Amino acid sequence: MDRIAIEGGARLEGEIPISGAKNSAIKLMAASLLTSEPLRLTNMPRLADTRFLGKLLRRLGVEITETDGEQGSETLLHGAEIVSSFAPYDLVRQMRASFNVLGPLLARTGHAKVSLPGGCTIGARPVDLHLQALSALGASIDMHEGYVYAQAPRGLRGAEIEFPVVSVGATEHALLAAVLAEGRTVLKRVAQEPEIEDLALCLNAMGAKVEGAGADTIIVEGVSKLHGATWSVIPDRIETGTYAMAVAMAGGEVRLTGTRFDFLESLWDRMRAAGVDVAATNDGVEIKRNGARLKAVDLTTEVYPGFATDLQAQFMALMTMADGESVIRETIFENRFMHAPELARLGADISVHGGEARVTGVDQLVGAEVMATDLRASVSLVIAGLAAKGETMVSRVYHLDRGFERLEEKLGACGAKVRRIKGDGEEH
Ligand code: EPZ
């Protein structure tokens, strides 16, 4: 298994290009199941998660061609014929969002057998809301031996669905199914993340009729067929926020390019309160921190446009060396502080009680061996390592590879001393 070694203390200077959003790309890939014509996705990130989903989609009958040229990375997905409606456990468990093939398979073929994704390190993450939405759209659903069996032989039909809890995945799943349902679907109390609007706009480019994505209610007028389209994946706001915090932690001046400043207002608010210079540029954001110690600030994770849970671990890393005490509340997932004991191995002073962590800034972190526990937790350890004295060695970086493209190269180009040690012991 690969590891990443970080020699702390280098300032970061330069530019980091931001990739396409992982959490948009994987939902857009699933949309390819809805049409027999090709869907061309540009600005595609190349990640373990997009590879996992690609493997499943190929099994279902989607031909996938990847090209990486000067125009960026593209993926052409062509589901001319769905050859199977079965998503097995060994593929779904590798990447839980694979579960979202259920709705499109059902809408296109009238039936599907998809493995339940199981739990994960950040929380129980049930899929009850996904299944309730598909039932409301007329699917009959049974569950046994870890599989969901869904049927809608005469097709799905529009419905009014009010979600009891705001869920990104359930909103997207309902949308993916409703576009081919007969009649009108009204989805209330939906998630408003930019990735949802991206999915809705791509579906519209494929001939769907979706209105209101990005707000609290989405209205879908079902159509009988979708066609092919070309769609550019939005920039990854979590990657953007992560590098912004890496610069704030290490010190320096870096432009993050090819991204969207407006996706991250709540992060910029907290970073500015902590004393970081943040400025919008014409294609992204410029982050500066020169000299002065950061101030401790509190934060609470919330659904969009609130502070993203996917940036909480990175912000905690930033607070470990701030002046004062920071209270961090996690309200989205019940077990998302696994990085706290790993940060403590670097000398951080953190106490966790339920959904609340208190971080008291220390003068200096010191490098140590630490272990990645999930995707965002792993990158928080890299951020901490950038400011720690000496070497930090992060193991289990396969978590990191699920969502960060060429991390060592991007940080290295700005002067960070980050290297990958391959499982075979070779350094890269
Ligand atoms: C998405 O997960 C993201 N994943 C997560 O990013 C992100 O942390 C999360 O949204 C919140 O922003 C992808 O987009 C692939 P939810 P998702 O459904 O859709 C509960 C990363 O690091 N819930 O909005 O699974 C759930 O348990 C990942 O890239 C139910 O109770 O999140 C949670 O407490 C990690 N029943 C809350 O809702 C359900 O049926 C929000 O989860 C569904 C969800």
Side-chain angles (χ1 to χ4, degrees):
M1 276 189 284
D2 292 5
R3 289 172 299 158
I4 283 187
I6 307 123
E7 184 66 38
R11 272 170 61 84
L12 304 185
E13 306 275 350
E15 199 171 291
I16 299 181
I18 298 301
S19 301
K22 167 182 86 84
N23 286 348
S24 210
I26 53 184
K27 322 302 167 58
L28 295 168
M29 288 172 75
S32 70
L33 289 166
L34 292 166
T35 174
S36 59
E37 295 181 17
L39 175 63
R40 182 186 300 276
L41 299 177
T42 61
N43 196 34
M44 275 293 285
R46 298 284 180 239
L47 299 165
D49 272 11
T50 52
R51 272 197 304 281
F52 290 144
L53 184 58
K55 206 161 141 191
L56 171 60
L57 291 175
R58 282 193 176 98
R59 171 93 71 105
L60 303 177
V62 181
E63 267 179 42
I64 302 182
T65 319
E66 294 186 338
T67 47
D68 294 305
E70 272 180 18
Q71 304 304 317
S73 302
E74 282 190 16
T75 301
L76 185 72
L77 302 109
H78 190 186
E81 205 186 325
I82 301 303
V83 298
S84 164
S85 279
F86 172 49
Y89 178 59
D90 63 330
L91 292 181
V92 177
R93 89 186 147 79
Q94 289 179 4
M95 208 270 293
R96 62 192 335 280
S98 302
F99 183 71
N100 283 26
V101 300
L102 175 61
L105 282 174
L106 197 55
R108 175 110 177 250
T109 69
H111 62 98
K113 175 183 171 186
V114 176
S115 169
L116 285 162
C120 97
T121 50
I122 62 175
R125 302 184 79 184
V127 287
D128 54 328
L129 303 176
H130 299 233
L131 298 178
Q132 281 165 24
L134 295 177
S135 295
L137 291 169
S140 74
I141 291 184
D142 285 314
M143 275 189 284
H144 37 102
E145 288 153 4
Y147 280 89
V148 175
Y149 294 75
Q151 305 257 1
R154 282 188 294 283
L156 297 170
R157 50 170 200 277
E160 188 168 315
I161 300 166
E162 178 159 0
F163 291 102
V165 175
V166 176
S167 158
V168 174
T171 302
E172 290 164 336
H173 208 163
L175 191 55
L176 282 164
V179 285
L180 287 182
E182 197 185 322
R184 166 184 280 220
T185 297
V186 180
L187 304 173
K188 293 185 176 168
R189 210 193 286 164
V190 293
Q192 301 177 27
E193 271 67 3
E195 293 75 25
I196 291 174
E197 193 178 5
D198 201 33
L199 175 62
L201 294 175
C202 173
L203 290 167
N204 283 350
M206 295 165 72
K209 292 191 179 147
V210 182
E211 273 179 31
D216 166 70
T217 301
I218 296 179
I219 299 174
V220 184
E221 293 293 345
V223 296
S224 58
K225 215 169 167 245
L226 294 182
H227 52 70
T230 295
W231 192 254
S232 175
V233 181
I234 53 167
D236 197 313
R237 64 194 163 96
I238 306 302
E239 190 194 23
T240 307
T242 298
Y243 288 128
M245 286 186 269
V247 179
M249 188 73 176
E253 292 189 19
V254 172
R255 282 178 314 286
L256 306 174
T257 60
T259 187
R260 291 269 299 263
F261 182 83
D262 57 319
F263 285 169
L264 285 154
E265 294 291 355
S266 42
L267 172 65
W268 306 144
D269 171 73
R270 297 293 72 202
M271 286 183 65
R272 283 178 173 142
V276 183
D277 282 340
V278 177
T281 61
N282 58 357
D283 73 338
V285 53
E286 186 168 40
I287 307 290
K288 288 189 202 168
R289 184 170 77 83
N290 294 314
R293 189 173 179 192
L294 293 176
K295 295 190 275 290
V297 289
D298 298 341
L299 84 82
T300 300
T301 61
E302 284 169 282
V303 295
Y304 190 84
F307 194 100
T309 173
D310 290 348
L311 292 170
Q312 179 259 107
Q314 300 88 317
F315 201 84
M316 187 184 288
L318 194 59
M319 291 294 101
T320 58
M321 283 178 61
D323 186 14
E325 184 188 75
S326 160
V327 179
I328 298 182
R329 293 189 189 87
E330 171 59 55
T331 70
I332 308 293
F333 292 110
E334 63 274 23
N335 189 28
R336 208 170 193 183
F337 286 138
M338 302 273 279
H339 41 283
E342 297 302 313
L343 289 169
R345 290 181 54 76
L346 301 174
D349 180 354
I350 306 171
S351 62
V352 175
H353 301 282
E356 189 175 290
R358 284 176 184 268
V359 186
T360 306
V362 296
D363 290 339
Q364 182 64 60
L365 297 178
V366 180
E369 285 182 45
V370 287
M371 191 177 78
T373 51
D374 75 66
L375 165 57
R376 311 303 175 186
S378 54
V379 84
S380 77
L381 301 173
V382 174
I383 290 177
L386 291 172
K389 197 166 171 208
E391 187 176 82
T392 297
M393 181 71 79
V394 185
S395 61
R396 301 203 178 170
V397 296
Y398 54 85
H399 287 295
L400 198 130
D401 295 334
R402 296 185 53 180
F404 290 93
E405 187 177 51
R406 298 181 284 109
L407 174 118
E408 318 84 271
E409 192 184 314
K410 289 188 184 190
L411 283 174
C414 293
K417 298 199 176 103
V418 181
R419 60 189 210 284
R420 177 177 292 254
I421 299 147
K422 292 298 231 182
D424 55 16
E426 283 200 17
E427 296 204 2
H428 295 257

